[in-house]
Amino acid sequence: MKKIFNSNAFEKMLATLIAIVAGLLFGLVIMLLINPSMALGGFGAILSAGFLNGGESLGEVLFKATPLIITGLAVAFAFKTGLFNIGVSGQLMIGAFFAVYVGVRWNLPPSIHWLVAILAGIVGGMVWALIPALLKAFRNVHEVVATIMMNYIAMYTSKMLIEATIYDTVRQEARPVLSGAVLPTLGLDKLFGFNQLNSGIIIAILATIVIYILLEKTTFGFQLKAVGFNRNAARYAGVNDKSNIVYSLLISGALAGLAGAVLYLAPGSGLKLETTHQISNYGFQGIAVALLGMSHPIGTMGAGLFFGYIEAANQELQAWDFKREIIDIISSSIIYFSAFTLFFQRYSHKFMVWLGKLFGKKEVEVATETVNDEKENGGNDNETNV
Amino acid sequence: MKLTFKEKMKNYLTTKRIIKISVILVAYILLAIFTTNNMYSLLRLTLFSAVPLALVAMGGLYSERSGVVNIALEGIMMFGAFIGILVLHNLQDKGIDGQHILFLALIIGGIAGMLFSVLHAFASITMKSNQTISGTALNMLALALAFFVGRALSAAGTEEITFRDSYRISEIPVLKHIPFLGDILFERIYLITLFGIVLFIIMALIAYKTKFGLRMRACGENPQAADAAGINVKRIRYIAVIISGLLAGIGGVLLIIPTTTSFKANVYGFGFLALAVLISGQWKPVRVLIFALFFGLLRSLANGIAFIEADLQNIPFLYNMIRALPKDVIEMLPYVVTLIVLGLTSVKSRAPKAAGEPYDQGKR
């Protein structure tokens, strides 16, 4: 019992929970300020929309969570290797273009067409990540600024590419992909009774598992993390830091491209590539997901599901006369509060000790000290990783 | 030992300085002779984006030089511009003198930026949290707030806040006769843009010529040593981050008013561009200014190229090249060139040593 209460991971979870509650409360305050009469109803909708209609709601949560999980993984993977990839949005846009291009222009047997389109999306994301990766590894350009610039370049580039190749001039958007390139639903839509749900969620879960194994169970993943932890030390230990930086941004970009493909090859979602001057928001949401998930693949999946759950309230919110941006306000303030983890952890630690006392353990004093040490380490660990 | 004026001059005028000054003088004379009226139009347009860029980069300089990485610049700009333009929108028809409203909007935008930056200071200094996370969260928050509140306030339910642009001053007497500079700075200009330039210079002097500036830079290089010398590191960092918020907020308003007539919850990535300017300018004011002017010129090319088309026709090669480029490519240029410049300059780049690290007294 003592072990559970005093474990570091449990404290982190509790700290995250505090951040979530604080973020939700901040959202409630904003809603009360803007429209007091509707605020409580709207807030209730945010909390309850994810399960109100049973299977259909759950299906919608899974559908909304799919791109969030994958972009979250992309950011989290880069975080784990010491890089902050703000450029997931740009990589996603280029990946989406590659995927849709293959989906529209190539004539392939339906059984493999969607797979090829997804692979094309992955390649697109990698191409876009390659430039900042090389700049970071060989020219010491900070990846944050480089990937942000790549976002803007992607915005213009994808617009020009779409207009030059797959543009529907009448509807002013990209042409729809051929039926063979649409992601199969695998009967998930019928199972949950939500007609947009497709195999994307399975792909997201598979991606999570692959990334988990890669990071935690392979030498390659260990080397990537080592470079992220301390580039010089890793080089001293015989790890090629430059190529590892390139690899980790490439994998992150591949995930971003995958997210783009899954988003725009989804059946019946009506989501088309547009040529407006706007950077896709999914990449930034991915940052939120990764941060809330503490950059751990499994945690990221949980965070993706959580944000998918909130996102599912979109339509309900309209009924309460609130715009969907309130969800963004809530998720960004959750991230802001989750930056306080270290602070919250101190309190959740005290709470744990108090719980321990309740159960009448005599070694509590001793345990406190060891945990204190552990916490210090955990804190540092957190800082360098993220 | 008291130096006479002659000795002082002798110390000041090293060969390097003499060469530098004469190059600047020659360049100035050449510019004054060869700049056409069309080019002046383009250069004025350049100023409209270069000044906010420089000012926000100066904000970044304060924050980072004190040891706090400020990715939130974009969000602070967004928030400052949002509040400032909101003020402008609401006061415009109240019959107050135009220039007064303009400065009021600018100052309130700056104060809004200050308040918003307190969130970043609190997270990164008091809470010792990861500065990149806090900055990213604040960027997202500012965007969401500008959208959400903007939509809630507008009758049409859009995030767009419009304003009438009637603040441009035709000329400033006497000063406009200065060759070259007079044509750019003192004709068909916004007073707030001039204010921005003056503010930039003042802030550069504070950062480099005052006790506070020295202390601030010490906190960014070696906070432990600064602490040992009796400097309150946390206080200095708070002040620096709040100043950066002020400058970014002002920069936001300064960007929106001259370049458009409506705020659409968008500052065109200028906060991030300012960060890039700060890095390529190596955290030094003069270089920051030069890069800001350079990026401002690239940025204004998309709209300003029409001004100089007549002049360009004299150089057929350049003219044909530019005509062949799609508008999207020209608009993309600042970002592409930023990447290239960073690629060329970053190898030897040296950020303030303690930037990004929460101050820990126990650490050596």
Side-chain angles (χ1 to χ4, degrees):
Chain A
M1 192 57 103
K2 192 184 77 193
K3 224 173 185 174
I4 297 175
F5 281 135
N6 285 342
S7 72
N8 205 14
F10 200 80
E11 275 182 23
K12 277 187 181 169
M13 290 254 285
L14 200 67
T16 307
L17 228 80
I18 297 172
I20 289 177
V21 172
L24 284 170
L25 286 180
F26 180 77
L28 179 61
V29 170
I30 297 280
M31 289 168 91
L32 280 170
L33 285 176
I34 292 292
N35 192 345
S37 58
M38 298 288 215
L40 285 177
F43 193 67
I46 292 176
L47 293 184
S48 65
F51 65 82
L52 219 54
N53 293 329
E56 194 189 343
S57 298
L58 189 62
E60 189 173 359
V61 170
L62 291 178
F63 173 72
K64 290 268 162 72
T66 305
L68 296 175
I69 293 173
I70 307 178
T71 51
L73 275 179
V75 180
F77 184 83
F79 268 149
K80 273 279 177 198
T81 58
L83 298 166
F84 187 16
N85 184 4
I86 300 196
V88 168
S89 288
Q91 291 144 18
L92 182 147
M93 288 164 88
I94 298 296
F97 168 76
F98 272 49
V100 173
Y101 179 83
V102 168
V104 173
R105 281 297 191 85
W106 288 15
N107 263 321
L108 294 170
S111 51
I112 59 158
H113 195 174
W114 60 275
L115 246 163
V116 176
I118 284 183
L119 286 178
I122 292 176
V123 171
M126 287 169 90
V127 166
W128 217 246
L130 181 66
I131 300 165
L134 292 177
L135 283 171
K136 167 81 180 178
F138 295 100
R139 304 298 303 175
N140 193 26
V141 176
H142 202 292
E143 78 278 5
V144 170
V145 182
T147 51
I148 288 170
M149 294 301 127
M150 291 303 284
N151 279 345
Y152 286 93
I153 300 172
M155 179 176 87
Y156 292 110
T157 308
S158 77
K159 174 173 184 272
M160 285 186 285
L161 286 173
I162 292 166
E163 284 174 349
T165 54
I166 51 171
Y167 198 48
D168 182 341
T169 42
V170 180
R171 310 181 70 170
Q172 302 209 325
E173 59 184 23
R175 298 211 296 268
V177 293
L178 302 176
S179 59
V182 171
L183 290 183
T185 59
L186 299 178
L188 286 172
D189 50 342
K190 303 235 162 40
L191 185 65
F192 284 92
F194 182 74
N195 59 8
Q196 291 181 24
L197 192 63
N198 56 66
S199 52
I201 184 66
I202 309 247
I203 295 173
I205 293 169
L206 285 179
T208 310
I209 296 170
V210 168
I211 293 300
Y212 175 74
I213 293 173
L214 181 68
L215 271 177
E216 306 293 334
K217 308 285 175 202
T218 65
T219 322
F220 177 57
F222 183 77
Q223 287 189 353
L224 290 178
K225 282 195 291 185
V227 173
F229 203 75
N230 187 334
R231 189 173 169 177
N232 296 323
R235 188 168 56 217
Y236 184 70
V239 181
N240 185 340
D241 57 329
K242 285 182 179 162
S243 58
N244 272 301
I245 285 174
V246 175
Y247 291 146
S248 58
L249 261 182
L250 278 186
I251 293 171
S252 179
L255 286 165
L258 175 66
V262 167
L263 259 172
Y264 289 92
L265 297 176
S269 68
L271 190 65
K272 299 268 169 53
L273 282 177
E274 289 175 36
T275 55
T276 49
H277 280 153
Q278 214 128 52
I279 294 176
S280 166
N281 200 23
Y282 285 100
F284 301 116
Q285 286 177 321
I287 298 172
V289 173
L291 291 176
L292 194 67
M294 303 220 157
S295 308
H296 192 281
I298 310 294
T300 302
M301 192 164 82
L305 288 171
F306 169 73
F307 280 123
Y309 181 90
I310 298 186
E311 288 273 339
N314 201 352
Q315 272 181 345
E316 282 287 310
L317 270 177
Q318 311 268 328
W320 292 94
D321 206 19
F322 279 106
K323 300 285 185 291
R324 74 162 299 285
E325 276 75 23
I326 186 66
I327 295 172
D328 291 340
I329 292 181
I330 290 176
S331 45
S332 55
S333 44
I334 288 176
I335 297 314
Y336 179 71
F337 289 121
S338 76
F340 296 177
T341 322
L342 217 58
F343 177 79
F344 287 144
Q345 239 173 302
R346 199 172 303 147
Y347 282 91
S348 60
H349 171 70
K350 279 185 184 156
F351 177 63
M352 288 297 143
V353 172
W354 179 73
L355 268 186
K357 271 185 187 155
L358 267 192
F359 285 90
K361 294 281 174 191
K362 278 176 187 168
E363 308 96 311
V364 162
E365 293 300 317
V366 187
T368 314
E369 267 168 38
T370 49
V371 169
N372 254 334
D373 291 350
E374 213 178 295
K375 190 187 64 194
E376 294 274 297
N377 292 339
N380 290 339
D381 202 44
N382 202 24
E383 255 160 48
T384 29
N385 273 350
V386 169
Chain B
M1 192 178 74
K2 196 115 168 125
L3 294 174
T4 63
F5 177 72
K6 211 173 167 185
E7 280 168 329
K8 266 188 193 163
M9 283 311 284
K10 209 172 157 190
N11 284 345
Y12 183 75
L13 289 175
T14 54
T15 326
K16 217 173 150 190
R17 278 222 174 88
I18 293 174
I19 294 174
K20 231 183 197 170
I21 291 170
S22 32
V23 165
I24 291 173
L25 269 180
V26 169
Y28 180 76
I29 294 168
L30 285 178
L31 277 173
I33 295 172
F34 288 108
T35 313
T36 62
N37 278 336
N38 299 327
M39 284 188 216
Y40 282 128
S41 306
L42 178 66
L43 289 177
R44 265 179 231 124
L45 208 61
T46 297
L47 226 48
F48 295 156
S49 42
V51 172
L53 204 51
L55 212 55
V56 178
M58 179 56 83
L61 188 146
Y62 267 78
S63 173
E64 301 215 346
R65 276 283 174 147
S66 81
V68 180
V69 167
N70 198 348
I71 289 196
L73 282 178
E74 171 92 359
I76 299 171
M77 256 185 109
M78 181 87 71
F79 193 71
F82 173 61
I83 301 289
I85 300 299
L86 207 59
V87 168
L88 194 64
H89 173 83
N90 285 320
L91 288 185
Q92 216 163 28
D93 299 319
K94 298 280 193 287
I96 312 169
D97 175 55
Q99 298 300 331
H100 290 167
I101 299 179
L102 203 55
F103 273 93
L104 195 68
L106 196 70
I107 288 162
I108 291 180
I111 292 172
M114 272 167 89
L115 293 178
F116 202 68
S117 70
V118 171
L119 289 174
H120 186 55
F122 178 68
S124 43
I125 301 166
T126 306
M127 292 303 210
K128 296 187 179 177
S129 50
N130 184 310
Q131 298 167 8
T132 316
I133 296 181
S134 155
T136 308
L138 290 178
N139 283 339
M140 291 160 60
L141 182 63
L143 181 68
L145 275 177
F147 260 100
F148 183 72
V149 181
R151 283 186 177 179
L153 293 183
S154 87
T158 64
E159 66 277 8
E160 188 172 358
I161 307 172
T162 55
F163 60 92
R164 268 179 293 101
D165 179 19
S166 53
Y167 305 112
R168 212 162 165 171
I169 284 174
S170 59
E171 59 176 48
I172 293 175
V174 188
L175 287 177
K176 71 166 180 153
H177 295 298
I178 305 172
F180 189 63
L181 284 182
D183 294 287
I184 298 174
L185 293 178
F186 304 119
E187 261 184 62
R188 310 204 55 242
I189 191 81
Y190 292 85
L191 274 182
I192 47 170
T193 305
L194 292 182
F195 172 76
I197 296 171
V198 174
L199 191 60
F200 180 89
I201 295 170
I202 294 174
M203 295 322 279
L205 289 177
I206 291 179
Y208 272 81
K209 301 287 178 197
T210 65
K211 204 161 66 181
F212 169 77
L214 184 65
R215 288 181 172 174
M216 178 185 81
R217 286 176 292 133
C219 289
E221 293 295 334
N222 193 338
Q224 281 78 19
D227 194 6
I231 297 170
N232 187 341
V233 175
K234 285 189 175 176
R235 213 186 99 206
I236 297 264
R237 285 190 173 180
Y238 255 98
I239 296 172
V241 173
I242 289 170
I243 289 177
S244 95
L246 173 78
L247 294 181
I250 288 179
V253 183
L254 212 52
L255 171 71
I256 298 299
I257 291 177
T259 49
T260 69
T261 53
S262 71
F263 175 71
K264 292 177 197 154
N266 194 351
V267 287
Y268 315 103
F270 263 57
F272 294 130
L273 265 178
L275 271 183
V277 164
L278 181 66
I279 296 174
S280 11
Q282 294 287 301
W283 295 267
K284 292 192 177 110
V286 178
R287 297 191 200 181
V288 163
L289 184 63
I290 293 171
F291 276 104
L293 286 170
F294 179 60
F295 290 126
L297 181 66
L298 286 175
R299 172 81 206 180
S300 55
L301 267 189
N303 295 321
I305 200 89
F307 286 132
I308 53 167
E309 234 166 38
D311 291 332
L312 277 178
Q313 272 164 351
N314 300 328
I315 322 167
F317 159 71
L318 207 61
Y319 180 72
N320 291 333
M321 201 175 79
I322 289 173
R323 283 300 296 272
L325 288 178
K327 194 168 181 244
D328 284 317
V329 172
I330 298 178
E331 283 185 15
M332 200 165 76
L333 267 183
Y335 309 103
V336 177
V337 174
T338 304
L339 266 189
I340 295 172
V341 169
L342 284 175
L344 293 177
T345 57
S346 285
V347 174
K348 282 191 284 179
S349 157
R350 208 191 69 77
K353 243 192 208 124
E357 266 179 52
Y359 176 52
D360 180 1
Q361 269 180 321
K363 210 177 140 195
R364 273 185 300 159

